[in-house]
Amino acid sequence: MFLVGLTGGIAAGKSLVAHRFVEHGMELVDADDIAREIVLPGTPAWHEIVEHFGGAVLDEDGFVDRPTLGRIVFGDERKRTLLNEITHPRVMREIADRLEMLTAVDNPVVLDVPLLVESGSNRGYNAIVVVACDVDTQLRRLVELRGMTEADARARIAAQAPLEDKLAVADHVIWNEGTLEELTAEADRVAEDLWAGARAKAEAEGRQIPND
């Protein structure tokens, strides 16, 4: 397996890049999707969240209301730590299980992890891709596109590692300050490099994989 770590700050455009990589034939393991799955109604994590944070964090259908919960935990480090203790071990176990199933896959496997740097899990990857934009761009997108207040947006950004920490571990950087077309072109360029890396690794192991 050629394992790619994909990360970036909130509202940087990481999910768009992830889906573009999938269009290039890569496998995707999305930590955010897993985080949503492990708190579905009735799951152990869901029960713990309700126990510690109350029913006010649920929507009318009983699902965890992520914006409401986010406002609570991103304004209180103690509560954020508690939520992480409930969810992170479960997310990491599920990621490990999915990667185990993909061990023999020749295609690049992209692990989309928003907190790759913050969690200290930036080792063991064959390549790390960082999707980047400046803080002003993040703020604008969070307020204009996601409807956050500026205070909430700043709290979300402050809870993540600074951009320079992410850039320090990057093998590839995709800047997303322009148009969707420009972002797509940059993602395509990096995808070619990742496939080249996967082929080189396979050849070194005595295998050959086709072009994407």
Side-chain angles (χ1 to χ4, degrees), residues 2-3 19 31 47-48 54 68 78 86 96 99 113 131 135 147 168 193:
F2 187 86
L3 183 60
H19 288 108
H47 283 291
E48 289 188 41
T68 298
R78 182 183 60 83
I86 293 171
L99 291 179
V113 187
V131 184
V135 172
D193 288 343

Side-chain angles (χ1 to χ4, degrees), residues 47-109:
H47 283 291
E48 289 188 41
I49 288 171
V50 174
E51 176 185 350
H52 290 288
F53 295 97
V57 300
L58 303 180
D59 65 19
E60 60 184 11
D61 296 315
F63 290 85
V64 172
D65 188 311
R66 288 166 64 93
T68 298
L69 183 58
R71 283 192 293 272
I72 293 171
V73 302
F74 283 101
D76 186 323
E77 186 173 351
R78 182 183 60 83
K79 292 179 179 177
R80 187 166 69 250
T81 298
L82 174 59
L83 179 63
N84 289 342
E85 289 172 351
I86 293 171
T87 59
H88 280 191
R90 292 179 168 98
V91 170
M92 296 307 294
R93 283 196 296 271
E94 182 62 24
I95 286 174
D97 288 346
R98 296 191 187 189
L99 291 179
E100 179 66 24
M101 290 189 292
L102 293 168
T103 300
V105 168
D106 285 329
N107 300 23
V109 175

Side-chain angles (χ1 to χ4, degrees), residues 95-160:
I95 286 174
D97 288 346
R98 296 191 187 189
L99 291 179
E100 179 66 24
M101 290 189 292
L102 293 168
T103 300
V105 168
D106 285 329
N107 300 23
V109 175
V110 178
L111 178 52
D112 183 343
V113 187
L115 302 181
L116 183 149
V117 173
E118 291 84 347
S119 64
S121 60
N122 57 313
R123 298 178 181 177
Y125 295 98
N126 298 108
I128 293 177
V129 179
V130 172
V131 184
C133 65
D134 65 33
V135 172
D136 288 342
T137 301
Q138 287 179 281
L139 281 171
R140 177 177 54 78
R141 290 172 179 165
L142 291 173
V143 172
E144 294 180 4
L145 302 180
R146 301 196 190 182
M148 289 187 186
T149 66
E150 184 173 335
D152 284 345
R154 289 187 181 279
R156 294 292 186 100
I157 294 170
Q160 296 186 336

Side-chain angles (χ1 to χ4, degrees), residues 6 13-26 28 30 33 110 112 187-188:
L6 175 63
K14 179 174 54 60
S15 294
L16 293 171
V17 172
H19 288 108
R20 189 64 178 176
F21 284 172
V22 170
E23 292 177 4
H24 280 271
M26 302 184 195
L28 176 64
D30 190 324
D33 283 349
V110 178
D112 183 343
D188 291 346

